Each structure stands twice: as C-alpha cells, then as structure tokens.
Amino acid sequence: MTTERQAVVIPRAGLTYAGNYPDADPAGGLEEGLELLVLAERLGYDTVGVRQRHLERGVSSALTVLAAASQRTERITLETNVVPLGFENPFRLAEDFATVWALARGRVHVGISSSAPHAELLAPLGRPDTDPRTDPYELMARFLDALRSEPLADEPLHTPYGPEPVPRLQPRIPDALRTVWLGGGSNRSVDWAAQRGLNLLLGNLTDAEGDAGFAESQRLRVQRYRDRLAPHGEGRVAVERVLLPTDGADDATREHYAAYVEARTARTFQTHGTRRTVIAPDLVGPGARIAEALTADPVFDGRVELRVALPYGFARTEYEQILRDVREHVLPALGWEAA
C-alpha cells in the first residue's frame, strides 16, 4: 500500500531564542540556552537563531553565544535573529561575524535590522560621537560593504605577519551576502533586502497594508519582496510565530500557556502607532490544531520557512517541551522532514 506524501507547507523549520538568566547566575542561564540549541540539532531542526537583546537579562551578544554553539553542534545552521545595528560598529560586527563563520565552518548566518543609533545609551559608554540622525539603512550598508571584503585602501597593509597586498576584512566569506538576513516589517525594509539580494526574516508583527489584517499584510510583503528580488538573485524568506503546543504539557504548564496568550491577545485586534503595526496571534493548544492554523495561514506557500519564537522568560523544561511537541505534533503535519 502506498502512502500519499503530505504536501509541503513548511520546507525548513528553526527556532529563535532570546535567552534569560537570573542576576545571580548568568553563566547557568547561558549554559541552559546552549544546551537548548544542542537539543534542537538532535531533534532535527534546520536552524537555531539567537535574538540579541540589550539592557535585559538575555543574550546581549548573539555572535558570542553562537561561537560557543558552533563548538557543540555539527550540522545545524546558526543564526542571529536579529542584531539591531544602532548599537553596533558595522565594521567590527562584520569582523566578528566572519570569525564565527570560520569557527562554524560556514554554518553561521547573520540577521540584522534597522535601528537608529542609540546616542543616549552609547554616549555614557564612550561613544559621544554617535549621531542619532544617522539613517539606520546607512549603518546596514556599511555592514554589507565590510562583509564583502572590498579593499579599504590602495596601499599594502604591513602586519607582523608580512604585507597584505590589499587591506580588507578578514576572514573573507565567499558569496557573503548569501548568509545575510534582514529583519523587517515595512515596505522600505522589504525593498532594501530585495534590491541587495538579502534573505528576509519577518517577525510576528508588521505594518498594515491598507485595511488588511496581519496575515494578509504579511503575505503581501512576501510577494513584494519576491517581485523586487528577481533581478538580484535568489533569496529565502522566513517568518516567526509563537507556538505553544500542549500535547506534552502538564496541567500547570497548560495553565501558564493559556494565561500568557490571553494577556497578549487583545493587542492583535488593533493597529498600533503611526505605522499601524499589526500583530500575529500566538497559537496555543494541541499540535494538530496549531498545524491546521499554520496550513490556513496564507503566508506559508511551501517556500516560506518557519522560525518558532520561544517566549522570553519561560522555564527550561517548558522550552524543551515546546521544541519536542512542535517537532512531533506540528511539523510532520506540515510536510516538513527532519534534517
């Protein structure tokens, strides 16, 4: 008897993790995060992403964590999802990324996002020259220029190891832009990514398109990206969703998940701010019900990838249960196959 193969709704799946730890034990919390990334590889996920957060008890340096993860994993792609460039020196970020890329033997991708320079935060830390009027897209352009390893001067650079014929970023990453994702939710960011052949990461919020709600607005954004990408190469699209399957959860965990979603649901019924931002609802319940909701989501067309956004501040056991339940009860129903 032949079994009909499940249609592919999601071709690749990964997770995005922000990390968390108590004041008294940052090392323990970061270690738990690394073990979670190792678990994701064992379960067959395609990617694991670390979200960079500042001024919180989370991962403040995504590439540092991914460098450690590169020495504990062998197959899975490691991502920064994402690094807001308003806190960064673009050239130094490119150097760090190139170094971790080499340590991981090419398994690292870098996600960046537009973020105006945070002069009020950086000036007390020794960055008084930071200009808050700097266009955040200019910061991203500088990062891409550095990452291409383009010559920085016409004269050789003399080093203790001998002259370098042309000073440029090292290590050099072949076809570097293939490894870059732009996180965004506006038409400007979508156009910017497409025109440069970058991959596109869309979160669980986006600017509304006319009167359209979240799902349709995000679908239109994906279509806009593809329409503008065609002359510039082939890019990938991934979207984030908060998924809280309850198949393997105990009663207390189910109550926690339900309360978490209830507290966040009201915000999905309205637009926010001058950009009229709309937000995706969190999905909670049995894995089969979550799979049905994702199948009905118009953004998932068999080419768009999924990143499961793990909520901030949950317990390690809850993260592990979410990863296992998504792997066992959600993804197989969407045509995904473990790597």
Side-chain angles (χ1 to χ4, degrees):
M1 183 178 77
T2 59
T3 302
E4 185 176 350
R5 188 179 184 278
Q6 173 72 43
V8 175
V9 178
I10 293 173
R12 293 188 183 94
L15 66 102
T16 302
Y17 174 67
N20 61 86
Y21 51 80
D23 270 333
D25 187 22
L30 292 170
E31 175 64 28
E32 286 188 0
L34 288 169
E35 291 172 357
L36 194 69
L37 305 188
V38 172
L39 173 63
E41 179 173 77
R42 287 207 308 268
L43 292 174
Y45 283 88
D46 301 289
T47 69
V48 286
V50 174
R51 185 184 304 282
Q52 185 159 300
R53 305 178 74 106
H54 294 290
L55 308 179
E56 301 178 26
R57 292 192 302 275
V59 175
S60 57
S61 176
L63 284 170
T64 303
V65 172
L66 294 184
S70 74
Q71 306 306 295
R72 304 186 185 201
T73 57
E74 298 178 354
R75 171 199 57 80
I76 200 164
T77 298
L78 309 169
E79 303 175 331
T80 66
N81 289 342
V82 290
V83 177
L85 284 187
F87 284 96
E88 304 293 334
N89 176 302
F91 180 80
R92 282 291 300 116
L93 179 66
E95 279 192 322
D96 287 347
F97 171 52
T99 300
V100 179
W101 177 89
L103 287 171
R105 300 189 180 277
R107 288 189 293 118
V108 174
H109 286 193
V110 63
I112 58 175
S113 68
S114 63
S115 172
H118 295 272
E120 73 285 1
L121 299 177
L122 295 177
L125 303 178
R127 294 279 301 281
D129 58 332
T130 301
D131 187 348
R133 296 169 297 179
T134 300
D135 185 341
Y137 289 84
E138 174 62 24
L139 295 176
M140 294 196 296
R142 293 177 197 169
F143 173 75
L144 297 184
D145 287 344
L147 205 60
R148 292 187 187 96
S149 291
E150 295 177 348
L152 300 175
D154 296 329
E155 300 295 326
L157 176 68
H158 295 280
T159 75
Y161 313 103
E164 290 284 346
V166 179
R168 64 176 83 229
L169 179 135
Q170 300 285 358
R172 298 179 65 183
I173 302 176
D175 195 16
L177 298 195
R178 177 186 57 82
T179 66
V180 180
W181 294 74
L182 179 63
S186 68
N187 285 335
R188 183 183 181 187
S189 61
V190 165
D191 293 351
W192 204 90
Q195 290 162 5
R196 290 157 181 80
L198 308 181
N199 303 308
L200 180 66
L201 176 68
L202 300 174
N204 58 356
L205 53 84
T206 193
D207 293 354
E209 285 286 323
D211 295 329
F214 173 84
E216 181 61 11
S217 293
Q218 194 166 74
R219 186 196 69 79
L220 291 171
R221 206 136 277 138
V222 171
Q223 187 59 53
R224 182 184 181 101
Y225 168 77
R226 289 175 177 159
D227 290 344
R228 287 156 175 75
L229 176 72
H232 305 286
E234 297 182 6
R236 293 162 58 186
V237 180
V239 300
E240 289 185 342
R241 294 290 185 270
V242 175
L243 309 182
L244 299 174
T246 56
D247 304 80
D250 58 25
D251 290 342
T253 301
R254 291 192 181 98
E255 291 176 4
H256 177 208
Y257 292 174
Y260 176 84
V261 172
E262 182 179 4
R264 287 160 49 95
T265 297
R267 65 183 192 153
T268 67
F269 297 138
Q270 60 192 47
T271 60
H272 301 265
T274 57
R275 292 171 54 173
R276 302 184 63 251
T277 300
V278 283
I279 303 174
D282 305 329
L283 299 179
V284 62
R289 187 192 305 164
I290 291 175
E292 289 177 2
L294 294 176
T295 301
D297 188 327
V299 78
F300 292 111
D301 58 2
R303 297 164 60 192
V304 171
E305 304 173 23
L306 171 68
R307 301 292 185 266
V308 179
L310 297 178
Y312 182 71
F314 277 28
R316 173 181 177 172
T317 54
E318 293 173 323
Y319 289 139
E320 292 177 350
Q321 176 261 315
I322 291 169
L323 286 185
R324 294 182 189 280
D325 277 6
V326 169
R327 166 66 181 86
E328 296 174 13
H329 301 287
V330 178
L331 295 177
L334 301 173
W336 174 86
E337 295 182 352

